[in-house]
């Protein structure tokens, strides 16, 4: 196979991979109505932990960002309140965009940090 052909085959395998994972994401979004706290933990570790302390008692790398268990412990904190917070442009991070499933996962994780 010529070098050019190899490159275009690779490119189409890559494209198919993206389409397959997008389809998987979409279908999981449809079947799963409630947030998955384990997914939420992975997501927050990946996206939010540059600023927020994610685990219970973990100090926030950005002192202006409250630790998630602090947020969870705020009186009256609810899934609705967190949903609003996550749909509102974020301090220092206006482009924080999560899919509705990701939001549900993150919220399930944060609310799970509430002291029982
Ligand atoms: C670039 C730093 C940064 C990142 C990344 C970040 N945050 Fe924040 N966040 C902040 C700061 C600073 C505050 C406190 C000031 C404020 O509320 O604007 C905050 C406040 C919050 C609040 C309190 C409610 C509110 O809007 O005031 C929630 C909930 C929150 N963040 C969730 C998240 C989640 C979930 C992620 C990841 C998906 C995330 N943040 C990623 C910096 C960040």
């Amino acid at each position: 196979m010529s070098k050019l052909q190899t490159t275009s085959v690779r490119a189409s395998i890559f494209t198919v991979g993206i389409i397959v994972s997008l389809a998987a994401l979409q279908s999981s979004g449809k079947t799963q109505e409630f947030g998955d706290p384990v997914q939420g933990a992975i997501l927050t570790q990946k996206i939010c932990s540059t600023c927020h302390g994610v685990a219970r008692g973990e100090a926030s790398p950005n002192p202006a960002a409250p630790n998630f268990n602090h947020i969870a412990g705020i009186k009256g904190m609810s899934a609705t309140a967190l949903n609003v917070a996550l749909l509102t442009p974020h301090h220092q991070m206006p482009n924080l965009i999560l899919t509705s499933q990701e939001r549900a996962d993150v919220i399930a994780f944060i609310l799970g940090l509430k002291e029982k």
Side-chain angles (χ1 to χ4, degrees), residues 10-85:
R10 277 217 192 107
S12 42
I13 290 172
F14 182 68
T15 312
V16 167
I18 288 181
I19 291 168
V20 168
S21 42
L22 280 179
L25 261 182
Q26 265 184 347
S27 64
S28 71
K30 265 180 205 130
T31 51
Q32 201 182 0
E33 288 176 35
F34 297 104
D36 174 354
V38 175
Q39 280 305 315
I42 296 168
L43 274 168
T44 51
Q45 196 61 54
K46 215 161 62 181
I47 314 173
C48 323
S49 68
T50 43
C51 298
H52 291 273
V54 165
R56 190 174 275 150
E58 185 185 320
S60 296
N62 178 342
N67 173 295
F68 282 161
N69 73 268
H70 172 82
I71 293 175
I74 295 171
K75 204 163 175 281
M77 188 47 67
S78 65
T80 311
L82 283 174
N83 222 337
V84 171

